[in-house]
Amino acid sequence: MNFENKPIDKDTPSAQDTTPGQKIPPGQDTPPGQDIPSEKNNPPGHDSVIRPAARMELLPEYVFGRLNAEKQRRRAAGIDIIDFGMGNPDMPASSNTVDKIHQVLDDEKAHRYSRAIGIPHLLRAVADHYKSGYGVDLDSETEIITTIGSKEGLSHLSLALLGPGDRCV
């Protein structure tokens, strides 16, 4: 099979059968009535396109993707853009930061995965920060975790605490 990564054509039946807000029964990837490709529909050697699950149509556009596209469009039009976004430094890291990175990279113990909830001395530093900055006592082993980013942390928190029908404000 030839797998191509192409956007779904909005005029195809699979796109028409899925409308924003449409309920998809539990355990089903596609809305009722939508054909699911099978081997008999796509025999071996027959070119086909892998289409995302219908539930993907229910997701809103990624806001930062839209903002980045708009920034790129305006820059291409010659408009000077000042980007205050995170993750786009406009100067190199300080020499002491670069030196510390080299030091850590030279340490063989640094070449493995850390604990999923965070490394102990980082967790203790977070607890110390909350104690000195806000007067809040936190147990670094049971009340603090680290995540790879705020979106990951908030989405996992929601998955852990919210169930079907729950509302969150």
Side-chain angles (χ1 to χ4, degrees), residues 32-108:
Q34 181 174 322
D35 290 336
I36 299 172
S38 67
E39 280 300 315
K40 69 178 182 175
N41 294 342
N42 293 309
H46 182 274
D47 286 344
S48 63
V49 175
I50 295 177
R51 301 196 186 280
R55 66 180 167 271
M56 296 300 292
E57 291 290 322
L58 304 175
L59 295 174
E61 182 181 3
Y62 184 54
V63 68
F64 293 110
R66 189 171 67 235
L67 289 172
N68 287 335
E70 182 63 17
K71 285 188 296 190
Q72 186 176 22
R73 185 189 69 75
R74 290 181 184 211
R75 284 183 174 136
I79 300 171
D80 187 25
I81 301 292
I82 299 172
D83 187 353
F84 290 108
M86 297 279 296
N88 293 312
D90 61 353
M91 60 180 61
S94 65
S95 60
N96 62 334
T97 300
V98 173
D99 292 342
K100 184 62 177 182
I101 291 170
H102 281 267
Q103 179 186 347
V104 170
L105 289 174
D106 287 336
D107 182 356
E108 289 182 10

Side-chain angles (χ1 to χ4, degrees), residues 3-166:
F3 298 116
E4 298 173 340
N5 187 7
K6 290 197 238 180
I8 292 179
D9 179 356
K10 296 296 182 193
D11 295 325
T12 61
S14 63
Q16 292 171 350
D17 290 339
T18 307
T19 55
Q22 181 175 356
K23 299 276 188 218
I24 298 175
Q28 188 172 336
D29 285 344
T30 57
Q34 181 174 322
D35 290 336
I36 299 172
S38 67
E39 280 300 315
K40 69 178 182 175
N41 294 342
N42 293 309
H46 182 274
D47 286 344
S48 63
V49 175
I50 295 177
R51 301 196 186 280
R55 66 180 167 271
M56 296 300 292
E57 291 290 322
L58 304 175
L59 295 174
E61 182 181 3
Y62 184 54
V63 68
F64 293 110
R66 189 171 67 235
L67 289 172
N68 287 335
E70 182 63 17
K71 285 188 296 190
Q72 186 176 22
R73 185 189 69 75
R74 290 181 184 211
R75 284 183 174 136
I79 300 171
D80 187 25
I81 301 292
I82 299 172
D83 187 353
F84 290 108
M86 297 279 296
N88 293 312
D90 61 353
M91 60 180 61
S94 65
S95 60
N96 62 334
T97 300
V98 173
D99 292 342
K100 184 62 177 182
I101 291 170
H102 281 267
Q103 179 186 347
V104 170
L105 289 174
D106 287 336
D107 182 356
E108 289 182 10
K109 290 185 286 184
H111 293 259
R112 34 179 100 119
Y113 293 114
S114 63
R115 297 184 333 161
I117 63 169
I119 51 180
H121 64 274
L122 173 60
L123 299 174
R124 284 191 299 273
V126 170
D128 292 344
H129 173 75
Y130 270 81
K131 178 65 174 175
S132 65
Y134 308 106
V136 175
D137 285 313
L138 294 172
D139 181 338
S140 64
E141 288 296 317
T142 62
E143 297 181 304
I144 301 171
I145 63 168
T146 58
T147 62
I148 60 172
S150 59
K151 286 183 280 186
E152 183 224 8
L154 291 172
S155 60
H156 285 177
L157 179 65
S158 297
L159 287 170
L161 298 180
L162 301 173
D166 288 347

